[in-house]
Amino acid sequence: MANTNIYITKPLLPKIEDYKKELEDIWASMWLTNFGEKHNILENKLKDVLKVENLSLINNGTTALLIALKVLDLPIGSEVITTPFTFAATPHCITWNGCKPVFCDIEPETMTINADKIESLITPKTSAILGVHVYGFPCDVEKIDKIAKKRKLKVIYDAAHAFSTEINGKGIGNFGDITMFSFHATKLFNTIEGGCLTCKDKTLKEKINILRDFGIQSEEVIEDIGINGKMNEFQAAMGLENLKIFREEQQKRKELKEFYSQKLSDIKGIRIPKLSDNVSDSYQYYPIVIEDDFSVSRDELHEKLKSKNIYTRKYFYPACHDYECYKNEIYSDLKVVNDIKHRVLCLPFYGNLDIAAANEICEVIANV
Ligand SMILES: Cc1ncc(COP(=O)(O)O)c(C=O)c1O
């Protein structure tokens, strides 16, 4: 039994002295928010890290997604085809924009929206597709792009789990019309709370920048109904420091992933979903899938680990179509997601999880 509780993650934090230096700059400048120096430096640095042309920082991923849907001007009452295998923020942002989420089933291996099932859900009311690169597994961006072009639909990606993921060396923020990233404390790279939007179209980025600042275009002109999406200097300072250390964190997680995979891959009934060779891993989560031939169910394994002070997460259970607020929404046959939601379990995954603890987790799973 673990002596201390082992949680699913630990936030990435710089050395406190380094953050204090950042704070001294803020005290000296007396500039706390509203597009300060740290904000602007972080925005530029992130463009290089994510390999994108246009990037707008936002104060959290949910506001970023709200703005992404708003800037695309999706008609009120229109339908947005999305995945139910995601965090609540994804369908909630669709609904807050006055649109309806239409839940589509997922792929068994990547657990992302099943692109082959999207077309059958398109109606005259469909305005967009919102895919989620869940656990850093990219959606089938090529297929989705083809469908969207053919059916004249907008495409938004939720890349909250896919910081720095690349497909064939291309940053994941280059697909679709707009991509959202979350920099929440639990994410690989964090600004405490925070996020950003990336897009290829410069005009769209300019509109995003206006919407994140209440719709203010200039001192006396407010044309759009914007929101407060501004990232403050304290968040940006955390981002600047975490940018210096996130690659090292990724390397540690890579080693942890290899350790887990080597220990768990021979256990009957444990499936480890695999990324394709052309995709670089973000190392944000470590999900396993509990198959029928494992000795106990996912829920029993979750409880067993908990009894040993090891806290895993049934992420995502329940799925979004199970929420009370979406019970009456339109959805198709969700066979795969209704199965996976009872099988997936995310294991503790962070750079400083020591090998002895990881070994103990694997031993509990092996001997359950
Ligand atoms: C898939 C997904 N979408 C959206 C969000 C919302 O991001 P934020 O917490 O930064 O608002 C999260 C996580 O928190 C997420 O996991």
Side-chain angles (χ1 to χ4, degrees):
M1 170 131 113
N3 292 333
T4 49
N5 291 343
I6 302 176
Y7 294 111
I8 182 89
T9 194
K10 271 192 185 167
L12 183 66
L13 279 175
K15 288 203 184 90
I16 193 152
E17 303 80 54
D18 294 335
Y19 194 62
K20 274 185 190 161
K21 278 189 209 130
E22 298 280 354
L23 294 181
E24 281 164 12
D25 293 345
I26 298 175
W27 256 250
S29 70
M30 298 291 285
W31 195 300
L32 308 189
T33 186
N34 286 26
F35 318 110
E37 194 182 351
K38 294 196 185 292
H39 172 280
N40 297 340
I41 296 173
L42 181 63
E43 209 165 64
N44 273 322
K45 288 201 171 183
L46 279 170
K47 277 199 319 197
D48 293 339
V49 174
L50 298 178
K51 297 192 179 170
V52 293
E53 269 172 53
N54 298 300
L55 184 148
S56 303
L57 284 174
I58 314 275
N59 51 12
N60 61 63
T62 306
T63 310
L65 204 49
L66 283 175
I67 294 174
L69 288 149
K70 179 87 180 161
V71 78
L72 293 173
D73 234 346
L74 308 180
I76 302 286
S78 69
E79 294 168 2
V80 177
I81 300 173
T82 193
T83 168
F85 197 64
T86 182
F87 184 59
T90 319
H92 286 357
C93 287
I94 296 172
T95 313
W96 273 55
N97 267 279
C99 302
K100 273 184 175 298
V102 174
F103 295 117
C104 177
D105 208 0
I106 58 171
E107 303 244 12
E109 186 64 28
T110 66
M111 296 174 266
T112 57
I113 190 165
N114 187 333
D116 290 330
K117 295 199 171 169
I118 292 177
E119 284 216 83
S120 65
L121 298 175
I122 297 175
T123 73
K125 283 184 164 180
T126 309
S127 59
I129 301 165
L130 200 177
V132 179
H133 304 306
V134 68
Y135 314 127
F137 285 87
C139 299
D140 191 337
V141 290
E142 268 177 35
K143 238 179 231 170
I144 293 176
D145 187 49
K146 268 192 204 139
I147 298 168
K149 283 206 174 99
K150 189 168 97 185
R151 309 296 290 257
K152 297 196 170 38
L153 301 174
K154 302 287 184 197
V155 178
I156 305 113
Y157 285 114
D158 175 336
H161 297 184
F163 185 81
S164 86
T165 291
E166 293 175 12
I167 307 177
N168 294 319
K170 198 169 168 183
I172 195 129
N174 290 292
F175 300 94
D177 292 281
I178 308 185
T179 298
M180 178 280 276
F181 292 85
S182 162
F183 307 148
H184 181 257
T186 54
K187 300 293 186 271
L188 168 76
F189 165 79
N190 83 80
T191 58
I192 311 168
E193 292 272 1
C196 76
L197 292 177
T198 63
C199 60
K200 283 168 289 186
D201 180 352
K202 195 158 180 288
T203 319
L204 202 56
K205 179 209 151 72
E206 282 157 10
K207 286 188 190 163
I208 289 168
N209 286 0
I210 292 170
L211 284 180
R212 76 175 169 180
D213 190 21
F214 308 98
I216 299 172
Q217 287 185 9
S218 62
E219 214 172 331
E220 295 184 4
V221 183
I222 299 177
E223 264 183 19
D224 301 295
I225 302 166
I227 200 167
N228 183 353
K230 290 173 285 140
M231 177 179 281
N232 67 50
E233 288 293 272
F234 296 79
Q235 290 172 286
M238 184 63 88
L240 287 173
E241 289 305 319
N242 276 341
L243 259 196
K244 294 179 194 162
I245 56 174
F246 91 94
R247 291 284 182 204
E248 191 188 326
E249 170 71 12
Q250 263 183 331
Q251 179 57 31
K252 288 186 190 163
R253 290 184 186 205
K254 180 171 183 278
E255 286 159 24
L256 178 60
K257 179 176 176 177
E258 282 162 7
F259 180 83
Y260 268 147
S261 302
Q262 183 237 324
K263 285 274 197 178
L264 299 175
S265 54
D266 289 340
I267 302 177
K268 203 169 156 211
I270 298 284
R271 180 162 71 81
I272 303 160
K274 298 243 172 345
L275 276 178
S276 23
D277 291 341
N278 63 340
V279 175
S280 71
D281 201 337
S282 167
Y283 297 106
Q284 198 146 289
Y285 296 94
Y286 190 85
I288 57 171
V289 179
I290 315 302
E291 305 283 25
D292 282 339
D293 48 357
F294 189 64
S295 45
V296 295
S297 70
R298 186 274 312 270
D299 290 357
E300 284 164 325
L301 178 60
H302 175 259
E303 286 307 310
K304 177 80 189 168
L305 287 159
K306 204 197 286 181
S307 73
K308 306 268 179 193
N309 298 340
I310 297 162
Y311 293 88
T312 55
R313 197 164 166 202
K314 302 181 205 174
Y315 196 53
F316 297 98
Y317 179 83
C320 299
H321 64 287
D322 297 323
Y323 302 171
E324 202 53 46
C325 51
Y326 292 124
K327 280 221 164 115
N328 299 324
E329 294 303 341
I330 322 153
Y331 50 86
S332 53
D333 175 14
L334 300 175
K335 208 166 100 207
V336 178
V337 72
N338 279 331
D339 183 54
I340 288 277
K341 71 184 183 191
H342 294 293
R343 297 187 183 279
V344 79
L345 194 65
C346 286
L347 300 188
F349 197 55
Y350 48 92
N352 286 335
L353 182 71
D354 62 58
I355 291 300
N359 193 46
E360 190 182 337
I361 296 167
C362 296
E363 293 292 307
V364 176
I365 297 173
N367 298 318
V368 71

